[in-house]
Amino acid sequence: MFLGEFSISSLYPEVEPFFTQMLAVSSRHSLYVERSGNKGGHPIFFLHGGPGSHVGAAHRRYFDPDFFDIVLFDQRGCGQSAPAGETQENDTWMLVEDINTIRNALGINGKISLFGGSWGSTLALAYALRYPQCVEELILRGIFLGTDDEIAWYTHGLSRFAPEAWQRFARGMGDDLLGNYYQAVQDTNERRASEAARHWVDYEMQLMRIGSGSHNEQHSLASPQVSTLPSLPLLNRARVQLHFLQHQCFLADDPLLDAAHNIRMPVTIVQGGLDLVCPPITAWRLSQRLPQAKLHLVPDAGHGAMSDRLAPVLKAEVDGLRDRLLRSQLGKRE
């Protein structure tokens, strides 16, 4: 669910935004929104993971800046959006509506494509279900559908594969790890809340090491040490993530897998075969329900989108989208 930030040589060169904005989406929340690449090109929205993570400069590098109108934004309570860590007026369907608010604010009227990994894949699917007429294609990675089984796997099932990391994570937190961590990060004592947040995020980073496929440890997704990261951003991140997970990602009444047959636009799924955070079985089940699904399983890859294994595959799939759109445009002119 965490998405790190570092340079990968196989991606497009760094590009700077030509537009940034703090966009009010409610009386409480304002979102950091940025735009780069080709204004007037095909709009593609990057949906970050988490919940609770944020966008970064590396995320622009999947996309051909000469072709795509690249839109990145920090979701409610995340990154540079304000107020940071805010969980009120913050649920999945509000985030879906935020995508349309951004489209309207930027004057984007045609279809958009969505690129999302982990929690970003959840949000992309939810948007495609509610607004299918607005979506050209989806490119998804590390599928997460917000189910109880997936959350239980993350909090308990992974003890079989990462016992040392899980033992540190579970120590002193009782059987209801999710509920107790959710309460802990709300503690009025900021030191205790920050300590719980640090343990929560450290567990995630330890899992991210598995299958990272990086040849250089300093370029590993998990290379930032939680002990060196500022306390407040970690606490904000953990509060938002636990808020969503504790409430079943607000999808209990609208299971994404049950509704997936209604998503009729092309969907490309890139899935790491060694992804323990979001195991391949979920991606496979989803691919069986989607009418136009392409599942690209990368056997030796883990969860991290910026790993040496997954990054070039994701770029290649985005380039494939570009080429399909170019062929379509050419066909219409002829």
Side-chain angles (χ1 to χ4, degrees):
M1 297 177 198
F2 178 78
L3 191 58
E5 209 177 314
F6 56 90
S7 175
I8 289 290
S9 59
S10 60
L11 299 183
Y12 284 99
E14 292 185 8
V15 58
E16 292 299 316
F18 61 77
F19 173 86
T20 62
Q21 179 183 11
M22 290 297 293
L23 176 65
V25 292
S26 76
S27 60
R28 186 181 298 273
H29 289 275
S30 294
L31 305 186
Y32 169 77
V33 180
E34 65 171 59
R35 198 173 184 181
S36 58
N38 177 15
K39 184 177 181 180
H42 179 71
I44 189 160
F45 279 53
F46 178 92
L47 305 180
H48 69 66
S53 190
H54 59 88
V55 298
H59 300 146
R60 307 174 199 132
R61 298 183 56 196
Y62 293 109
F63 314 107
D64 181 348
D66 293 327
F67 181 82
F68 288 107
D69 188 348
I70 306 161
V71 179
L72 275 62
F73 68 99
D74 286 330
Q75 297 158 25
R76 296 190 183 204
C78 300
Q80 297 181 67
S81 293
E86 179 61 72
T87 57
Q88 294 187 50
E89 297 180 18
N90 195 349
D91 67 33
T92 303
W93 299 106
M94 291 176 182
L95 301 187
V96 164
E97 295 304 322
D98 288 346
I99 295 173
N100 271 357
T101 301
I102 294 169
R103 290 178 73 240
N104 293 333
L106 298 181
I108 296 174
N109 299 315
K111 288 187 176 183
I112 65 174
S113 293
L114 299 172
F115 179 107
S118 195
W119 162 250
S121 74
T122 320
L123 188 54
L125 291 164
Y127 183 84
L129 280 167
R130 181 159 288 186
Y131 295 106
Q133 73 279 9
C134 297
V135 181
E136 184 72 37
E137 288 200 26
L138 304 180
I139 297 179
L140 310 177
R141 173 207 46 96
I143 299 298
F144 175 65
L145 301 178
T147 63
D148 286 342
D149 284 349
E150 290 170 286
I151 295 169
W153 164 260
Y154 184 74
T155 56
H156 288 84
L158 278 165
S159 63
R160 301 178 183 182
F161 294 89
E164 186 176 358
W166 187 85
Q167 186 179 53
R168 290 195 300 271
F169 168 68
R171 187 178 295 125
M173 296 303 291
D175 292 333
D176 183 10
L177 290 173
L178 179 61
N180 290 334
Y181 265 105
Y182 174 71
Q183 293 298 327
V185 299
Q186 309 298 329
D187 199 305
T188 54
N189 183 308
E190 191 168 314
R191 184 187 63 80
R192 287 197 294 266
S194 296
E195 183 179 6
R198 215 167 273 281
H199 285 300
W200 176 265
V201 176
D202 181 63
Y203 176 61
E204 184 178 16
M205 286 189 172
Q206 294 300 313
L207 299 177
M208 292 295 297
R209 293 181 186 275
I210 301 170
S212 68
S214 180
H215 302 299
N216 186 337
E217 182 62 24
Q218 72 178 10
H219 285 164
S220 166
L221 263 179
S223 60
Q225 298 299 310
V226 174
S227 61
T228 68
L229 299 175
S231 294
L232 188 56
L234 283 179
L235 181 57
N236 290 334
R237 171 192 174 81
R239 281 175 171 166
V240 172
Q241 189 171 66
L242 284 156
H243 163 71
F244 275 83
L245 298 184
Q246 178 69 8
H247 294 92
Q248 299 172 290
C249 295
F250 303 93
L251 292 168
D253 296 330
D254 302 280
L256 294 178
L257 191 61
D258 290 351
H261 65 278
N262 293 311
I263 299 177
R264 301 197 172 274
M265 73 284 299
V267 181
T268 298
I269 300 170
V270 176
Q271 177 68 44
L274 298 179
D275 187 342
L276 293 186
V277 178
C278 297
I281 184 62
T282 308
W284 183 83
R285 286 172 177 161
L286 178 65
S287 72
Q288 299 303 295
R289 299 287 186 91
L290 292 167
Q292 293 193 62
K294 170 190 173 184
L295 176 59
H296 188 152
L297 185 68
V298 186
D300 56 352
H303 186 68
M306 286 289 183
S307 72
D308 291 347
R309 301 289 189 261
L310 281 185
V313 177
L314 288 164
K315 175 183 174 292
E317 295 295 354
V318 178
D319 287 347
L321 167 61
R322 176 202 60 199
D323 295 343
R324 288 191 293 277
L325 291 168
L326 285 169
R327 287 194 296 270
S328 175
Q329 293 169 8
L330 181 62
K332 289 176 181 178
R333 286 197 294 269
E334 294 176 348

